[in-house]
């Protein structure tokens, strides 16, 4: 059925969103000065690691703030864009399901709901199937009832 196609469509959509998020954060990092500053601190600190970095914190505070602000603005814009794209994706999924249903025969295309049978038939599937076959064959002798499923309305209980 259409469920598998919609399921895989959702994976593609998630991969696109994740890819955009990765690209956006990479772009912000690569266009900011923080990567050069961090590389300089790392080169100067050598094997001492974070100890040397802690002493230079005042030098990179402004660049870290600029990076954080740029990252926040980019991700906020991306969040708004993903919201709009999610609405479009929902619309696409609904259209795809309708298209799939129009192109393919499913069980719902061969079923019908009938009501108003006498009480003695409503409890016996075999008797109901036999009665339905008799009534349908009066219309067309080629009609065959494949199965009967009884449904009960419990809403009135």
């Amino acid at each position: 059925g259409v469920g598998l196609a919609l399921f895989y469509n959702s994976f593609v959509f998630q991969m696109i969103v994740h890819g955009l998020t990765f690209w956006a954060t990479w772009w912000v990092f690569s266009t900011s000065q923080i990567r050069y500053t961090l590389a300089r601190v790392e080169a100067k600190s050598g094997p001492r690691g974070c100890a040397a970095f802690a002493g230079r914190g005042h030098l990179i505070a402004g660049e870290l703030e600029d990076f954080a602000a740029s990252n926040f603005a980019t991700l906020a814009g991306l969040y708004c864009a993903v919201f709009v794209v999610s609405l479009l994706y929902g619309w696409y999924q609904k259209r795809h399901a309708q298209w799939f249903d129009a192109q393919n025969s499913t069980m719902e295309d061969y079923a019908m709901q009938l009501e108003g049978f006498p009480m003695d038939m409503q409890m016996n599937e075999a008797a109901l199937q036999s009665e339905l076959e008799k009534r349908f064959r009066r219309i067309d002798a080629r009609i065959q009832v494949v199965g009967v499923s009884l449904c009960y309305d419990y809403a009135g209980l």
Side-chain angles (χ1 to χ4, degrees), residues 58-124:
H58 64 283
L59 300 175
I60 65 168
E63 291 176 18
L64 277 174
E65 288 176 6
D66 291 343
F67 171 70
S70 297
N71 205 23
F72 174 77
T74 302
L75 291 177
L78 185 63
Y79 180 81
C80 295
V82 166
F83 175 73
V84 171
V85 171
S86 294
L87 294 176
L88 292 172
Y89 171 71
W91 172 80
Y92 167 76
Q93 286 283 78
K94 186 173 183 178
R95 292 284 310 257
H96 182 74
Q98 291 169 344
W99 172 84
F100 186 89
D101 188 44
Q103 299 297 316
N104 298 286
S105 296
T106 59
M107 290 176 58
E108 71 180 337
D109 297 325
Y110 299 99
M112 61 176 53
Q113 178 179 341
L114 303 172
E115 297 175 352
F117 289 98
M119 285 301 279
D120 60 328
M121 263 193 244
Q122 291 182 13
M123 302 303 279
N124 186 344

